[in-house]
Amino acid sequence: MNFFTFVSKDIGMDLGTSNILLTIKGKGIVLNEPSVVAINRQNNQIVATGHEAKEMLGRTPEQIRAVRPMKDGVIADFTAAQMMIRNVITKVCKRYNAGRPRVVVGVPSGITEVEERAVEEAVTQAGAREVYLIEEPMAAAIGAGIDVAEPTGNMVVDIGGGTTDIAVISLGGSVVSDSIKLGGDKFDEAIIKYIKKEYNVLIGERSAEKLKIEIGTAVKEDEPRTMNISGRNLVKGLPVTISVSSTEILEALDSCIEQIVIATKNLLEKTPPELAADISDKGIIMTGGGAMLRDLDKRVEQSTGIKVTLAHDPLSCVAKGTGLSLSSLDLLETGGNFKK
């Protein structure tokens, strides 16, 4: 039996710090764009969202502000978030004739009640008929193809842009979970900080992200890779190009990676023995864009002694899981996952 068959016109949303993804019945992922919005300060109208708005970050004239409304997995700029959510929901509803949909949103497991209300309000005002919230590790597990209804333990480590959410799931519910405010964005910040300290050069967010994707690694490489990156020399104030190695990026990211490893080990220690035995047999599943850092799965595996598998298409697991979960409302509400 497939618990997770889509219900007509329901929308699943991964409202991420870095990216916003929407899914709809029979179509899979119908929208995947950066969580960035550009707003005209004079008339408060949207100038651009997604990829177009991301290109504007750090490059806008005074009358336009390009912002990331999400920080650490939750809404940091309510007005901008509301505008962005309304824009993407309207876009998808028009394109797929979805009317006023039910929307399920993936949220970090450590979200507060105030943060929950902010998400619900923003999505409701964007035109949703009903709003449900589901914790990201549960959504990620469903999206990764795990049968969460089984009475066995599954461990998911979901590394997003703003948070890392870790949970042990059994019988449709989270048995133990943890959420740390560390993800892909903190990786970028660590790279910016390192380049500034070592080279006296300031690079932008997009350059840091490029370094992370192209030569980032979580374990030492026998043959380090290098990459040229441009920035501004802080002493001379002039543009400069420097060569950076993967060994240096590892040094920059090491403390962030170690925090994720420690949080994973701490949660394993809190896991009931029977479920810990299941995880030892089945291994740990890693999802989220941050999990795509080269050899991060290997690093967690070396530290825990448990096999680690990177989910297929880790970036879209939460989005897929939110979309699939609405057809299993009863099961997931029983497990205490849905907050309506």
Side-chain angles (χ1 to χ4, degrees):
M1 176 188 174
N2 183 7
F3 278 104
F4 305 112
T5 309
F6 271 96
V7 177
S8 177
K9 304 305 184 194
D10 289 335
I11 287 177
M13 181 189 292
D14 176 7
L15 183 58
T17 305
S18 300
N19 296 284
I20 183 166
L21 287 83
L22 267 67
T23 62
I24 206 166
K25 184 186 179 185
K27 308 287 181 188
I29 290 169
V30 293
L31 183 135
N32 178 358
E33 56 184 47
S35 302
V36 186
V37 59
I39 301 163
N40 186 319
R41 293 177 194 271
Q42 292 168 332
N43 58 14
N44 216 29
Q45 295 295 304
I46 286 182
V47 177
T49 59
H51 297 285
E52 200 186 333
K54 190 177 180 182
E55 291 293 323
M56 296 179 179
L57 279 172
R59 294 175 170 160
T60 56
E62 207 174 299
Q63 72 270 23
I64 294 172
R65 67 182 187 112
V67 290
R68 292 177 175 272
M70 309 296 294
K71 188 170 171 57
D72 299 334
V74 294
I75 293 173
D77 184 328
F78 187 78
T79 309
Q82 207 174 23
M83 292 171 90
M84 180 180 74
I85 294 165
R86 186 184 296 128
N87 183 278
V88 296
I89 288 182
T90 305
K91 206 187 290 183
V92 167
C93 287
K94 272 184 187 168
R95 198 185 305 156
Y96 296 96
N97 195 24
R100 290 189 67 229
R102 293 194 303 174
V103 179
V104 61
V105 187
V107 293
S109 46
I111 193 170
T112 66
E113 280 185 31
V114 173
E115 290 163 346
E116 276 177 20
R117 280 200 298 275
V119 173
E120 285 166 0
E121 199 178 315
V123 178
T124 303
Q125 289 180 8
R129 184 173 84 247
E130 287 175 22
V131 182
Y132 296 88
L133 305 182
I134 183 171
E135 291 187 354
E136 280 166 359
M138 176 60 74
I142 296 166
I146 294 169
D147 186 349
V148 296
E150 282 188 355
T152 56
N154 290 286
M155 188 175 206
V156 179
V157 179
D158 178 55
I159 307 169
T163 59
T164 293
D165 290 277
I166 311 163
V168 174
I169 290 157
S170 178
L171 287 167
S174 250
V175 181
V176 283
S177 66
D178 190 18
S179 179
I180 56 172
K181 293 195 171 183
L182 191 153
D185 285 358
K186 286 282 194 295
F187 289 176
D188 297 344
E189 284 172 28
I191 291 169
I192 291 169
K193 206 170 165 184
Y194 180 88
I195 301 293
K196 189 178 174 182
K197 180 171 162 274
E198 295 297 317
Y199 289 94
N200 242 334
V201 170
L202 187 64
I203 61 169
E205 279 177 35
R206 291 176 64 213
S207 298
E209 187 181 28
K210 206 171 175 188
L211 282 168
K212 176 183 70 181
I213 293 166
E214 299 287 330
I215 61 167
T217 180
V219 297
K220 196 169 183 184
E221 296 177 331
D222 295 333
E223 293 179 25
R225 293 159 295 139
T226 59
M227 182 179 163
N228 289 341
I229 205 80
S230 298
R232 177 164 54 84
N233 185 298
L234 290 167
V235 178
K236 297 174 183 173
L238 298 172
V240 65
T241 300
I242 55 169
S243 177
V244 183
S245 73
S246 54
T247 307
E248 291 175 294
I249 299 301
L250 171 59
E251 199 180 321
L253 297 179
D254 200 58
S255 74
C256 290
I257 294 165
E258 198 52 35
Q259 283 179 64
I260 292 170
V261 169
I262 290 165
T264 305
K265 286 165 88 170
N266 287 346
L267 203 71
L268 279 166
E269 286 170 14
K270 293 175 190 169
T271 303
E274 300 295 337
L275 298 180
D278 293 337
I279 293 161
S280 186
D281 290 341
K282 293 197 278 186
I284 297 166
I285 298 275
M286 285 181 76
T287 64
M292 293 163 76
L293 179 73
R294 183 188 284 240
D295 289 336
L296 183 52
D297 50 348
K298 198 186 282 184
R299 174 85 171 256
V300 175
E301 192 169 301
Q302 285 169 355
S303 300
T304 59
I306 295 170
K307 185 177 182 298
V308 176
T309 308
L310 186 62
H312 172 69
D313 194 8
L315 198 60
S316 64
C317 286
V318 171
K320 284 179 185 167
T322 55
L324 293 166
S325 63
L326 265 174
S327 52
S328 306
L329 217 53
D330 295 345
L331 166 75
L332 290 163
E333 280 188 322
T334 306
N337 298 285
F338 270 124
K339 295 158 185 174
K340 184 183 172 188

